[in-house]
Amino acid sequence: MINKLWAKLERAETDFPGRKWLSLVDHSADVAAVFEAVLQVPLVTRRLAALAGQRDFPPIWRSRLCAHVALHDFGKANHGFQARRDPKAPPVGHVLPGLGLLYSNSQPGLASRLAATLMCAEFAAWGAWESATRAVAAHHGRPISQQLIDGDSQNHVATLWTPRANYDPIAALAPLAQAIRNDWFPEAFDIDDLPLPDAPRFWHAVSGFVMLADWIGSDANAFPLYIEPATDRMARIANARATAPQLLAVYGFDPAAKRKALPAVSFASVSEHEPRPIQKAVGDVDGQVVILEAETGSGKTEAALYRFARLFERGEVDGLYFALPTRVAAKSIEERIREAVQRIFPSGARPCVILAVPGYAKSDGVGYKTLPDFDVQWDDGPDANLRRERWAAEHPKRFLAGSISVGTIDQALLGAIQARHAHMRSSSLLRHLLVVDEVHASDVYMERLLVSLLDQHASAGGHALLLSATLGSTARHRLLGLTPNDDQPLAELSSAHYPAISTSQDPEPKHFDGSGRTKQITLNLDPRIGDPVAIARLALEAAEQGAKVLVIRNLQHAAVATAEALFALAPNHPALFRCEGVPTLHHGRFAREDRELLDAVIGAQMYAERGTKGLVLIGTQTLEQSLDICADFMITDLCPADVLLQRIGRLHRHAKNARPAGFEAPRLVVLSPDDLAPLLSKAQFGMGGDHGPYRDLVMLEATRRLVRDNSTWTIPQMNRTLVEQATHPHALEALTCELEKVNPAWRGARERSDGQKAADTYLAQHVLLPWKRCFSGQIDLAFPLDERIGTRLGADDVLVAMPEGTIGPFGHEIRVLTIPSRWLPGVDLSAELIPQMALEDSAALTINLGGHRFCYDALGLRKLKP
């Protein structure tokens, strides 16, 4: 007779017999075996031991944690869940009903029977009972508080668990308990004096690994359903115990075999160039959190890869997550990471490199199409073995479970906030060297999230490397886990070493030579920021002299207006930036396939194949990050000094490039109103207001004055002074005192800015995971049902799948467009959005989505007026 206590069921209309299914006992064996394999990865247990405040991870802990995990789905025994084999049955769950009875005050008799059947007294004797129970119960992605349990209606407990004539849910759990006690983990029940730790950080990490084990153990491709179960339940767990370690190795979670095959690591493993002193120093510097500050073009990416290779070789990390500020930046650097991985690892022992960008993910440069039921179709039709190697790339929640991933900082920060499966992300990340590129001092909200993530990461003994050309002292101290010393004299801060390395063990910046190159840049303020025609003409004049001109606007609509003005001025001019022969620009609102084309053309025309012809490239902040751009002349909107220095890194980036006459020395035009005071009442140009990219007008005024009063900037010697004078609280307060004497509204602006930063800090604290609070009935982590808590304020994009065969403006098929949620007011973003398409002409698509109209053409995606 088939055991009808099922846990997994084939999606089909047929009932037993003939329908594939999996018993609760067998599914529990699968998940427990995967979790056991996770705890057999040496680095995992080292991280957990550190979070528990211990040097070692006792074997008894492994057995007891596995025993807890084997009970993760006991709630599926309830009447309502078992009735779901009928597709028309109501969707009764299993986590809340299970905990609802276990912690029931309304049904003490049933609760006592359940506790006795599940051996709760013996489990409780192991210590940390409630933390363990609730950490395991969070395996679907969110912690379960008592408030959630009570909200599930205790009145239903009796209905779901009271025995009926043909089925007793509690008695049905006895075989599972017996298998755990007698067959699977009998050593867990041995008497000893090593209780499970009562350490909150430990249980947060355990919860994440349980989520991962449940995800892997629920994969029917790896752990198949059946028509008839095996008669020997030990055969199932024996098979699962053999399968799970192999899966972890193939997925990249356990890289032991790849490490064993790794040749001795040197800087030559990463790059063919001789290492600069600062690059070589990063490879071996002590410290879990390391900050590398150096000028753009000094080889920070190669330094990060060298540190990863060295840490990986020593077994101090099992992988790498390279986090960039934007999708465009992540995509542009992913190929460089793949090339480095090919140098570091021998053929046959080379981990997959994942482009960890939702909707645009790739594995080793190969993309896929998302299908129903979480399935995917890879573009190259891989065989089963290669498909399995790409497992971690097939879903955003799994990106960090592989070996090497390149993505946005958001994917890492989703492991620090109260979003579904945050714990799975953060626990998987503990194994990696976390590299965060292009860290700035001017984003308070994201900085607070990153500080919290680093706090948990470092507490586990994890490693992180932060890269910046322009980091202020206040932000640097916070990121190293220290309290900023705001009483330190500004002159002293400005004279700190640069380029430099700082670590959590040695926080004072230590000088190491970077590129050794000095750039003297001539800067001019130009008030024509609101005149796109004048800006286009200025750029075109330089291009006609043979210069490669880079124009960076703070806002997309300003970039588009400038491009339209340029195309109208000179519609057939050879200096127009083109992609597949079509004049265009660069910003973040292009489809993935089109952005890849744009990036490739930029790399060729602005660096690899520069030639002698002039060129005008217009764009937004996407041009300041990661793309290998070497401009002869730059025009940029005013922005904070740390961001401006990042943009300057694209000006005369490579010394070896020949320059046209008149552009032998780097020149920069900074577009800015002569007076920023009008922006106090009305935001413009991405400056001021409550929602623009650069809201702190005092900081912008400080930067404007640095340009006005210093017509020549010597880089990198002046970097530290420029950043401190434009971002440090003392400098900004002194400037505010001066400004308010002329216009009292400046004091209000400063107070609003401070209030915004305080609000951003509060919002960050409100959404962060409370690492120091344990899972208990008192903690209420009111996780949302999706991931719409932003990892950056105002950033909440919607991915919209295009109909198959949709051709973009550059003649190639596009699959997905990314639309800001703020462009879709009144639209249910939880529902599948199906666009209605129209081709207005040969170059423009019109898209109707939820009553809103958009245009997509060579100028990118724009919202049309009603």
Side-chain angles (χ1 to χ4, degrees), residues 409-431:
I409 183 62
D410 303 79
Q411 286 302 309
L413 296 182
L414 281 169
I417 66 176
Q418 296 177 40
R420 289 289 294 270
H421 290 91
H423 289 90
M424 190 170 98
R425 285 186 166 97
S426 63
S427 295
S428 296
L429 186 63
L430 293 178
R431 307 151 38 246

Side-chain angles (χ1 to χ4, degrees), residues 254-444:
D254 181 4
K258 292 179 174 62
R259 181 178 292 116
K260 186 176 180 180
L262 187 70
V265 168
S266 66
F267 192 81
S269 304
V270 173
S271 172
E272 61 186 8
H273 301 291
E274 284 295 315
R276 293 164 178 157
I278 201 166
Q279 292 175 314
K280 192 163 180 59
V282 166
D284 294 304
V285 69
D286 291 331
Q288 291 171 252
V289 180
V290 176
I291 296 178
L292 168 58
E293 297 176 271
E295 67 274 23
T296 300
S298 59
K300 293 191 291 291
T301 298
E302 288 73 21
L305 291 167
Y306 179 50
R307 182 164 180 80
F308 159 68
R310 294 286 287 149
L311 292 172
F312 185 86
E313 180 184 41
R314 299 197 297 262
E316 295 184 42
V317 301
D318 278 353
L320 169 70
Y321 185 68
F322 208 111
L324 284 300
T326 66
R327 289 186 297 267
V328 174
K331 185 184 62 58
S332 68
I333 209 169
E334 178 256 353
E335 186 174 354
R336 292 171 63 188
I337 305 295
R338 277 194 282 128
E339 290 174 355
V341 167
Q342 290 176 357
R343 291 178 64 94
I344 295 169
F345 293 89
S347 178
R350 193 171 288 152
C352 293
V353 177
I354 297 170
L355 177 60
V357 179
Y360 311 99
K362 293 184 177 181
S363 179
D364 287 340
V366 181
Y368 61 77
K369 182 185 298 184
T370 302
L371 303 176
D373 297 330
F374 301 104
D375 199 5
V376 301
Q377 178 182 329
W378 286 93
D379 292 347
D380 61 349
D383 61 27
N385 291 333
L386 182 55
R387 168 73 183 269
R388 185 164 281 183
E389 287 184 31
R390 297 172 176 175
W391 177 86
E394 292 185 344
H395 196 286
K397 293 181 176 69
R398 308 195 308 231
F399 284 160
L400 300 179
S403 287
I404 299 177
S405 299
V406 185
T408 65
I409 183 62
D410 303 79
Q411 286 302 309
L413 296 182
L414 281 169
I417 66 176
Q418 296 177 40
R420 289 289 294 270
H421 290 91
H423 289 90
M424 190 170 98
R425 285 186 166 97
S426 63
S427 295
S428 296
L429 186 63
L430 293 178
R431 307 151 38 246
H432 293 319
L433 169 63
L434 169 63
V435 177
V436 184
D437 197 7
E438 298 178 13
V439 179
H440 295 314
S442 51
D443 191 325
V444 173

Side-chain angles (χ1 to χ4, degrees), residues 55-93:
R55 292 180 59 86
D56 300 309
F57 189 91
I60 192 71
W61 286 6
R62 178 184 294 112
S63 298
R64 288 177 171 173
L65 289 173
C66 288
H68 274 289
V69 171
L71 287 176
H72 74 289
D73 270 353
F74 78 87
K76 288 184 175 179
N78 79 75
H79 285 292
F81 185 90
Q82 289 298 304
R84 286 172 56 181
R85 66 182 182 183
D86 181 353
K88 298 179 181 178
V92 176

